[in-house]
Amino acid sequence: MGKRKLMSPLSSSAQPVVKYKRTCEQPPSANGAKTLTEEEYSKLKLYLKEKKKILRTFPRILLNARGQLSQLNDSGFSESPLLPSDLNELILYSVYGPGKYVPKWSSLEMQCNLNQTCVLIIDGCEVNTKEDFSHFKSSLPMFSKYKFLPPIEVELPPSWCADYDTDNTTSITDDVVSESTSTQKENVEDKEICSRTRLLMSLNQMMIHNYPLPTNKRQFTMDGFRFTKNHYLPVTDNSPMYAIDCEMCYTSIGRNELTRVSIVNEKLEVIYESLVKPTNKITNYLTIYSGITASKLKDVKTTLTDVQEDIIKILSPDSILIGQSLNCDLDALKLFHPYIIDTSVIFNLNGNKGSKSKLKLLAKNFLDMNIQCGNLGHDSIEDSRATMLLVQLKLCKCKVHLKKNLMAPYDNIWSTSKLNIEEHSTNKVVLESVCKSMEDTTNRFCMAHMQLKNKNNLNLVNRWCEKYWAAMSSFALCAVVFTGCGAEGKNSVCLLNVKQPPLNHLQDKF
């Protein structure tokens, strides 16, 4: 084999290689494109960095290998359709978060930042052949416009409300309803779709987040710790909730001690408020955080033991305590309590278990409340009310809108007497009503069921979906289900997406 002939770099047929130093200046562009100045390059770099940081907080759906097998091919069929229970898992996970329901065919990243779950069911599309599917895709451009996931196949019947074996084909929201209504009072107007018992911390979570537990090996002695009750009752969705916030000062024993405690009930009424005289000498009032000064504690005689006695009397055996990083407050109170909802856990903006979002940020983002402002320290009443409101935001309402002729089949599936279901005479009114419901983000689960009379009128369906999508809030999961699809129209097509907010404010910044 002959040696390769090397061309001299000075050969007339060789082109000289021009190397540009890696700086903010770009090499001359052959097509006359504008080069960036050093200032423009710095701004672009900072913009991309900020954009990447923000995008990490956006919820999104990703399909794993199992989910990809359910995607429809060009002929309108998939290798392995999903079961209704698979779709159930995603819907329930989007509402409840990590716990009992975990989708095995997809992942929903940053679920804690979802504002709503919206389901739109449309009967009568009849996508049965390759030609039908081609017409279906070309007539619904909104799904490619907003970058929905490729359509997936689900084993749902021609009509979602038709009679079928509920053991194998449970409805997509049947479990949502049964979970949210099984323990609700008959005449409660606002139904909690995400129940308070589902927000409770597990024992493992309490250990991870360093809650005071009688079995924990802790840095400090457990002397003086007490149980909030001698005996506890099982917690239910009717158990009372109380939000607690404490302020502390640094003392001579080298740690923080309790100096103020506030408790509010579910009506945001202050049911307990007290300043507390620490046992040991205060070496730092931490006024910028606690709001406590020497003059405020001058005539205070209430001790930690007094506060413990008062709280023990207030709480019932099934009370649920709410707070932001409540482990610190219970440490200061020297109390053990089994039923805890921690807002720093149920609202985690960055998805990192080791990094908690501040209450001030949560209140601003989710409640549009400005708290902990100024340099006079925190207000424990204000903070406890904010944590109660955040939890109540999770205990959302369920809105379902149907045409009147669909009501009878739903009676066989759901306990409709306990649901907030509205019947309407036409598809137009159904769509207008559900769009109005979605404007209220406390309606964390919104659903509409419509019927298409003319299967060829997919342009009308596209307009329905456009209006439905426009009404959804940012950070909302959208599931659109078309029934009567696949071979012999026995299955359904589902399209999924999470609505992301625009980044216009970031562009204006730069």
Side-chain angles (χ1 to χ4, degrees):
M1 182 176 180
K3 294 184 178 179
R4 180 182 297 176
K5 184 178 179 180
L6 299 177
M7 184 175 288
S8 169
L10 301 178
S11 171
S12 59
S13 61
Q15 296 294 328
V17 178
V18 181
K19 294 184 177 180
Y20 292 95
K21 188 177 179 181
R22 293 187 65 183
T23 66
C24 60
E25 295 184 0
Q26 297 178 349
S29 175
N31 58 7
K34 180 183 176 181
T35 58
L36 296 177
T37 65
E38 183 176 354
E39 182 181 359
E40 290 172 334
Y41 177 77
S42 298
K43 284 186 176 181
L44 177 61
K45 188 176 179 181
L46 184 59
Y47 166 78
L48 294 175
K49 182 179 179 180
E50 288 294 316
K51 181 178 179 181
K52 184 178 180 181
K53 182 179 178 181
I54 293 174
L55 288 175
R56 285 199 205 103
T57 68
F58 286 8
R60 62 173 181 163
I61 307 172
L62 298 175
L63 299 182
N64 59 24
R66 171 67 185 91
Q68 292 172 4
L69 289 176
S70 69
Q71 291 181 346
L72 296 173
N73 56 29
D74 291 336
S75 299
F77 303 99
S78 68
E79 294 183 42
S80 178
L82 295 178
L83 296 173
S85 58
D86 294 324
L87 191 54
N88 268 352
E89 289 172 348
L90 177 65
I91 301 297
L92 293 167
Y93 180 80
S94 71
V95 175
Y96 294 124
K100 179 179 177 182
Y101 303 101
V102 178
K104 302 177 183 64
W105 55 279
S106 64
S107 60
L108 180 55
E109 297 182 348
M110 298 305 296
Q111 175 277 339
C112 58
N113 289 347
L114 280 179
N115 285 334
Q116 287 180 326
T117 297
C118 305
V119 178
L120 175 62
I121 300 173
I122 301 177
D123 283 339
C125 290
E126 297 185 20
V127 180
N128 304 329
T129 66
K130 181 178 180 180
E131 291 73 22
D132 289 340
F133 186 62
S134 177
H135 176 60
F136 175 82
K137 290 195 297 182
S138 62
S139 301
L140 299 172
M142 71 88 58
F143 294 107
S144 57
K145 175 182 177 182
Y146 298 111
K147 299 180 181 180
F148 274 66
L149 290 181
I152 58 178
E153 187 175 8
V154 184
E155 292 183 355
L156 285 175
S159 173
W160 185 75
C161 285
D163 293 331
Y164 50 88
D165 183 1
T166 55
D167 290 337
N168 297 323
T169 55
T170 359
S171 65
I172 34 184
T173 50
D174 190 23
D175 284 349
V176 175
V177 176
S178 62
E179 291 287 347
S180 63
T181 60
S182 60
T183 58
Q184 294 299 312
K185 295 180 180 179
E186 288 289 340
N187 297 320
V188 176
E189 182 179 356
D190 295 333
K191 306 299 185 296
E192 294 175 359
I193 188 170
C194 181
S195 63
R196 57 189 69 189
T197 55
R198 286 194 166 274
L199 299 179
L200 291 174
M201 299 188 75
S202 65
L203 177 60
N204 185 53
Q205 285 179 312
M206 292 177 72
M207 294 179 68
I208 290 174
H209 293 279
N210 200 31
Y211 270 78
L213 297 170
T215 57
N216 268 8
K217 293 181 179 179
R218 301 173 55 78
Q219 180 180 357
F220 302 106
T221 177
M222 305 300 287
D223 290 346
F225 273 79
R226 303 174 64 181
F227 287 92
T228 51
K229 287 293 173 183
N230 293 328
H231 301 282
Y232 295 96
L233 295 176
V235 68
T236 70
D237 289 335
N238 295 321
S239 296
M241 299 190 301
Y242 301 99
I244 295 183
D245 190 74
C246 297
E247 305 298 344
M248 283 78 78
C249 294
Y250 198 74
T251 69
S252 57
I253 61 172
R255 60 173 300 187
N256 291 335
E257 290 191 61
L258 182 71
T259 50
R260 184 185 179 188
V261 55
S262 302
I263 304 178
V264 302
N265 60 17
E266 295 180 57
K267 296 181 180 180
L268 306 183
E269 299 168 339
V270 179
I271 62 170
Y272 187 74
E273 164 70 17
S274 179
L275 292 171
V276 187
K277 191 77 171 181
T279 304
N280 301 284
K281 182 180 178 180
I282 296 176
T283 57
N284 190 340
Y285 283 89
L286 304 174
T287 305
I288 190 172
Y289 303 110
S290 67
I292 301 299
T293 60
S295 60
K296 288 185 178 180
L297 294 180
K298 181 179 179 181
D299 299 321
V300 174
K301 297 181 180 179
T302 304
T303 65
L304 174 61
T305 303
D306 297 330
V307 171
Q308 289 177 331
E309 290 289 345
D310 293 338
I311 293 178
I312 289 172
K313 292 176 182 177
I314 291 172
L315 299 182
S316 62
D318 64 337
S319 293
I320 299 171
L321 297 185
I322 294 170
Q324 172 81 2
S325 298
L326 194 57
N327 56 305
C328 300
D329 302 275
L330 292 179
D331 257 338
L333 291 166
K334 292 193 174 183
L335 289 174
F336 299 123
H337 191 77
Y339 307 130
I340 303 293
I341 298 177
D342 192 329
T343 50
S344 71
V345 175
I346 63 174
F347 290 92
N348 189 338
L349 297 184
N350 53 32
N352 184 354
K353 293 182 180 179
S355 177
K356 297 182 178 182
S357 302
K358 295 182 179 180
L359 180 61
K360 180 176 181 177
L361 180 63
L362 296 178
K364 182 61 179 176
N365 285 359
F366 293 98
L367 305 173
D368 197 24
M369 285 178 58
N370 293 311
I371 64 172
Q372 301 176 356
C373 301
N375 56 1
L376 298 178
H378 299 177
D379 182 345
S380 55
I381 294 177
E382 180 183 60
D383 290 355
S384 56
R385 282 174 172 160
T387 57
M388 178 62 77
L389 287 170
L390 284 169
V391 171
Q392 290 175 342
L393 184 63
K394 283 281 187 178
L395 304 179
C396 49
K397 295 174 285 185
C398 171
K399 291 280 188 176
V400 180
H401 298 268
L402 311 166
K403 285 186 67 178
K404 287 186 177 180
N405 60 329
L406 296 176
M407 194 65 219
Y410 273 90
D411 283 331
N412 298 326
I413 298 173
W414 290 349
S415 300
T416 52
S417 62
K418 296 182 180 181
L419 276 180
N420 199 340
I421 292 183
E422 296 183 15
E423 296 179 80
H424 306 285
S425 56
T426 65
N427 287 323
K428 181 180 179 181
V429 180
V430 170
L431 186 59
E432 290 175 350
S433 300
V434 74
C435 289
K436 186 175 181 180
S437 294
M438 288 189 290
E439 292 176 1
D440 181 3
T441 54
T442 62
N443 295 322
R444 286 287 300 280
F445 180 81
C446 295
M447 175 180 150
H449 192 163
M450 306 167 69
Q451 286 185 314
L452 183 65
K453 295 180 180 179
N454 182 359
K455 68 175 184 178
N456 296 317
N457 196 3
L458 292 179
N459 291 329
L460 174 62
V461 174
N462 191 72
R463 292 196 297 271
W464 286 349
C465 295
E466 281 273 10
K467 187 172 182 179
Y468 191 77
W469 177 261
M472 290 170 52
S473 65
S474 296
F475 292 167
L477 172 66
C478 179
V480 183
V481 180
F482 299 93
T483 67
C485 304
E488 300 179 3
K490 291 184 178 179
N491 292 338
S492 296
V493 173
C494 179
L495 293 109
L496 298 164
N497 199 6
V498 176
K499 186 173 182 179
Q500 310 293 7
L503 294 175
N504 297 338
H505 68 285
L506 191 58
Q507 294 174 351
D508 296 338
K509 182 178 178 181
F510 294 96

